[in-house]
Amino acid sequence: MHMNSEPEYDSKPEDISRDECIKKNIQLNDTIRSLNEEITALKSEKEKYESLFRHNPNPILVWNPDLHVIDTNDAFVKKTGYSREKALSLKLSDFVYIDKKGDGIQETLRDKVMKSGEATFKFPAGILSWVRYTIPILDKQGNIRTILSVYNDV
């Protein structure tokens, strides 16, 4: 149905009894109530995970498949010395690696599985050595939607 078109009905009003109409309205109201409960539960879950992400003591970045940062948490901003705005403008090629060991985000992108390794970076706040975990978030087709990078001090 298009926004400006007339509604389409399964049957004509004279073909539906009053009792059947009441029954369908009750079913519709139950469906609406159930959907509203699901929405409320999803909003609550989203708020919980958002809080876990934002206030996690470990620096975290969220990357898109083109390896641009699309989100970060307070710990990353605090430890690196980047402003939130600057952090959100970064791409992988902007990171200054002093040393790398193990696997990282490029291997996660290739293999679509979690990888881990160590890296030493040069940030505005100084040189930091971190263990890094890169975790792919896949869509229903198995393609990478985003990559979550969690960093821990070595």
Side-chain angles (χ1 to χ4, degrees):
M1 178 165 68
H2 299 291
M3 292 296 284
N4 295 327
S5 66
E6 291 294 317
E8 297 175 20
Y9 299 101
D10 300 17
S11 45
K12 298 176 187 171
E14 60 269 13
D15 294 341
I16 301 174
S17 71
R18 181 178 184 280
D19 290 342
E20 194 175 341
C21 185
I22 291 171
K23 181 180 174 186
K24 286 186 182 259
N25 277 332
I26 290 171
Q27 289 172 342
L28 182 58
N29 283 331
D30 287 345
T31 300
I32 291 169
R33 188 179 309 94
S34 174
L35 290 172
N36 281 330
E37 288 170 2
E38 286 181 44
I39 289 169
T40 300
L42 287 172
K43 283 181 181 177
S44 176
E45 287 293 305
K46 180 182 182 262
E47 289 170 5
K48 179 173 73 174
Y49 287 108
E50 180 75 16
S51 180
L52 286 170
F53 171 74
R54 291 275 168 237
H55 304 295
N56 194 303
N58 295 320
I60 301 174
L61 291 174
V62 180
W63 305 81
N64 69 16
D66 295 327
L67 301 180
H68 288 83
V69 174
I70 58 171
D71 206 353
T72 188
N73 70 347
D74 297 339
F76 182 86
V77 170
K78 183 179 177 183
K79 289 191 176 193
T80 64
Y82 284 122
S83 68
R84 181 171 307 285
E85 293 74 25
K86 178 63 179 172
L88 294 174
S89 73
L90 296 171
K91 52 189 179 294
L92 184 62
S93 61
D94 295 327
F95 284 74
V96 178
Y97 287 88
I98 295 171
D99 188 31
K100 290 189 233 183
K101 297 176 188 160
D103 293 325
I105 196 165
Q106 291 163 325
E107 291 79 12
T108 297
L109 192 61
R110 180 192 68 215
D111 299 340
K112 299 180 183 180
V113 296
M114 185 186 89
K115 299 288 183 173
S116 65
E118 291 183 22
T120 301
F121 301 95
K122 183 177 180 188
F123 291 118
I127 295 173
L128 297 171
S129 294
W130 285 339
V131 174
R132 63 178 185 242
Y133 299 91
T134 52
I135 306 155
I137 310 300
L138 306 176
D139 63 19
K140 290 181 182 179
Q141 291 77 36
N143 299 311
I144 292 180
R145 203 174 76 213
T146 56
I147 297 173
L148 185 70
S149 291
V150 181
Y151 303 93
N152 296 306
D153 291 331
V154 172

